[in-house]
Amino acid sequence: MSKFDQYEGFQVESPETWTQFHKNKFDTKPFGDHDVEVKVECCGVCSSDVHTITGGWGAQHFPLAVGHEIVGKALRVGPKVTLIKAGQRVGVGAQSWSCLECRQCKNDNETYCAKQMDTYGAVWPDTGLVTQGGYSSHVRTHEHWVFPIPDAIPSALAAPMLCAGITSYSPLVRNGAGPGKKVGIVGLGGLGHFAVLFSKALGAETWVISRSHSKEGDAKEMGADGFLATQDKDWNKEHLMTFDLIVSTANSFGEGFDLSGYLALLDVHGKWVSVGLPEDATLNIKPQDLIDNGCLIGASHLGSRREMLDMLQLAADKGIKSWVETVPISEENLSKTVQRLQNNDVRYRFTMTDYDKAFGA
């Protein structure tokens, strides 16, 4: 019998069997003074989950339950918790711990903490236990990374905001997206659709940049002001040096990726911010491409607690609705869903639901 508390979840045993999920019991960390125990109601399915279980992002600790777009109910809170009350509907995203003492943590940059720990696949140094994600009955998380969900947002729509949403929102607000600014979103997938929704909600003129015109209708329905298809001849000619910010959600930097063409769209000192993490990808940058407009290239990782709370409130106030397909959680449905995501067969996020049927009320 284990000396640790146990939860139950759907785990993958290895990258070779990444499409096979098994319902197992697993040990969880001791309940700390600042911890919140969350009974999971639903969980989004993120491309990070697929990159992890396939081994695309490198070696992992198996068996592993992934999932880091978690919504549920706070069952109990530790004696020193002040940010969450028992009984609240809450969310947990891709990060579950940082030191909260370093320069980064004290400046609302806790996602860049050198000691930060992911919601799944990280190892607690004091016990050696591996963190397990939201394809599980419960999660146990430090209060700083547990977020109250506004009543106006349904759980299944809130879930994907907790990783994909914040990943798209943070670079927008940190780089001035708002009235009077022209923002480009490269790629209209799970991340890109949130970037469009939030860019528009922040008041920016928002354009989608995609390979073809196949998603132009969806982009316009999401509120995009314009659409550029890189397959078109002279696709960028009429927009050279007119964009203030481009957020790239691209899932490939391979052959045919016209970085020079994208950078030429930026105004003087305009910014290219990458949030996509393609496997084994290299972004080839020519110094000459930076000279004409002095453009800046960077990246962004998740977002702070303050940004998460602001994003959720913005979504509630503006009535922002994630484009979500819900799927009841089970071994079979998880297998089908991760394979569909691998094949880009989704518009534009999945949320696993019906946890009470899988794990009990």
Side-chain angles (χ1 to χ4, degrees), residues 116-307:
Q116 74 94 25
M117 292 182 63
D118 293 335
T119 295
Y120 60 72
V123 178
W124 290 107
D126 51 344
T127 62
L129 294 177
V130 177
T131 59
Q132 303 287 327
Y135 298 174
S136 306
S137 59
H138 303 74
V139 292
R140 185 173 286 180
T141 306
H142 188 288
E143 63 173 325
H144 189 87
W145 289 273
V146 181
F147 313 102
I149 303 295
D151 292 342
I153 312 176
S155 296
L157 303 190
M161 294 182 185
L162 296 163
C163 177
I166 192 65
T167 296
S168 304
Y169 175 84
S170 179
L172 291 168
V173 294
R174 290 191 179 214
N175 293 288
K181 300 294 184 179
K182 186 176 179 181
V183 174
I185 308 301
V186 177
L188 190 63
L191 289 172
H193 106 283
F194 275 123
V196 173
L197 294 171
F198 286 126
S199 180
K200 282 299 297 180
L202 291 166
E205 179 185 344
T206 304
W207 288 66
V208 171
I209 309 171
S210 189
R211 293 178 183 175
S212 72
H213 289 275
S214 64
K215 296 181 180 179
E216 186 167 3
D218 285 354
K220 295 294 179 64
E221 191 173 341
M222 292 171 195
D225 297 289
F227 191 96
L228 299 176
T230 60
Q231 69 178 15
D232 293 345
K233 183 180 179 181
D234 298 328
W235 67 271
N236 65 354
K237 187 174 180 179
E238 295 182 7
H239 298 270
L240 297 175
M241 294 184 70
T242 64
F243 282 81
D244 299 287
L245 170 66
I246 295 176
V247 176
S248 172
T249 70
N251 60 9
S252 173
F253 295 147
E255 185 178 349
F257 190 81
D258 184 17
L259 181 61
S260 300
Y262 293 116
L263 297 181
L265 293 169
L266 290 166
D267 195 2
V268 176
H269 300 324
K271 296 179 181 179
W272 165 282
V273 180
S274 182
V275 296
L277 284 175
E279 297 176 8
D280 300 322
T282 300
L283 191 61
N284 294 310
I285 302 170
K286 301 175 183 176
Q288 293 87 344
D289 291 337
L290 310 179
I291 292 298
D292 289 345
N293 52 9
C295 63
L296 306 171
I297 296 176
S300 181
H301 179 231
L302 299 174
S304 68
R305 177 180 179 83
R306 183 174 66 178
E307 288 169 334

